[in-house]
């Protein structure tokens, strides 16, 4: 497992919350946004719980395509081994300058999600229950410094206040 060191968790959480996420289901691209319901996705892919995860660029630090592809292959192998339903997905910053592939997972539990994210050095995942808005789950401690804007804070959970049921 990797020890994650994030320079500015508040800034990172704000960037993750502002990012655009999408999932490919039956050839259609379905958008996801933190703080918004995912009704279209949930209609395509019925499940009780959803998670977006990536193995790319741990702690938002750029790695080579080779390193990222290797990490992604390891993540896929683990997902296949535990039998989790997965769909191609990605995230990108609003200006399109940063994009990375990931996976939408259906009905994976919180503890398994946390272990996978930690193993692949991720600072956050998207994690929500069917019928609820998409939530940002920060897997680093909540910073004491600057608060997040209320619109972001309302849909962001931090590792120190997350219940992993």
């Amino acid at each position: 497992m990797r020890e994650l060191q994030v320079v500015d968790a508040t800034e990172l959480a704000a960037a993750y919350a502002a990012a655009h996420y999408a999932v490919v289901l039956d050839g259609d691209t379905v958008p996801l946004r933190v703080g918004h319901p995912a009704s279209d996705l949930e209609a395509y892919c019925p499940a009780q719980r959803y998670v977006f995860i990536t193995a790319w660029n741990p702690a938002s630090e750029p790695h080579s395509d080779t390193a990222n592809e290797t990490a992604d292959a390891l993540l896929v192998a683990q997902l296949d081994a535990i039998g989790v339903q997965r769909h191609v997905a990605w995230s990108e910053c609003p200006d399109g300058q940063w994009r990375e592939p990931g996976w939408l997972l259906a009905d994976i539990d919180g503890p398994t999600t946390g272990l996978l994210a930690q193993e692949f050095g991720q600072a956050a995942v998207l994690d929500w229950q069917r019928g609820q808005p998409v939530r940002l789950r920060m897997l680093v401690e909540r910073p004491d410094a600057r608060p997040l804007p209320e619109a972001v804070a309302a849909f962001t959970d931090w590792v120190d206040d997350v219940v992993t049921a």
Side-chain angles (χ1 to χ4, degrees), residues 37-147:
S39 305
D40 290 344
L41 180 142
E42 293 170 6
Y44 266 103
C45 178
Q48 290 306 114
R49 183 182 190 144
Y50 302 88
V51 169
F52 171 90
I53 191 169
T54 183
W56 281 60
N57 300 314
S60 290
E61 296 214 2
H63 287 65
S64 69
D65 285 350
T66 301
N68 283 322
E69 289 164 0
T70 299
D72 186 62
L74 290 170
L75 174 59
V76 167
Q78 288 192 29
L79 295 172
D80 288 349
I82 59 177
V84 175
Q85 180 184 358
R86 62 182 164 80
H87 301 277
V88 171
W90 67 86
S91 63
E92 66 183 4
C93 63
D95 67 8
Q97 302 251 343
W98 181 280
R99 181 175 171 148
E100 53 188 59
W103 299 99
L104 176 80
L105 311 178
D107 286 331
I108 185 169
D109 62 73
T112 302
T113 298
L115 288 172
L116 288 169
Q118 184 178 15
E119 181 172 343
F120 291 95
Q122 298 302 305
V125 296
L126 300 186
D127 186 354
W128 74 100
Q129 299 289 328
R130 180 178 190 79
Q132 299 296 313
V134 174
R135 298 191 68 81
L136 175 64
R137 182 175 172 195
M138 294 297 296
L139 301 168
V140 296
E141 290 185 21
R142 181 195 314 262
D144 292 330
R146 296 173 287 133

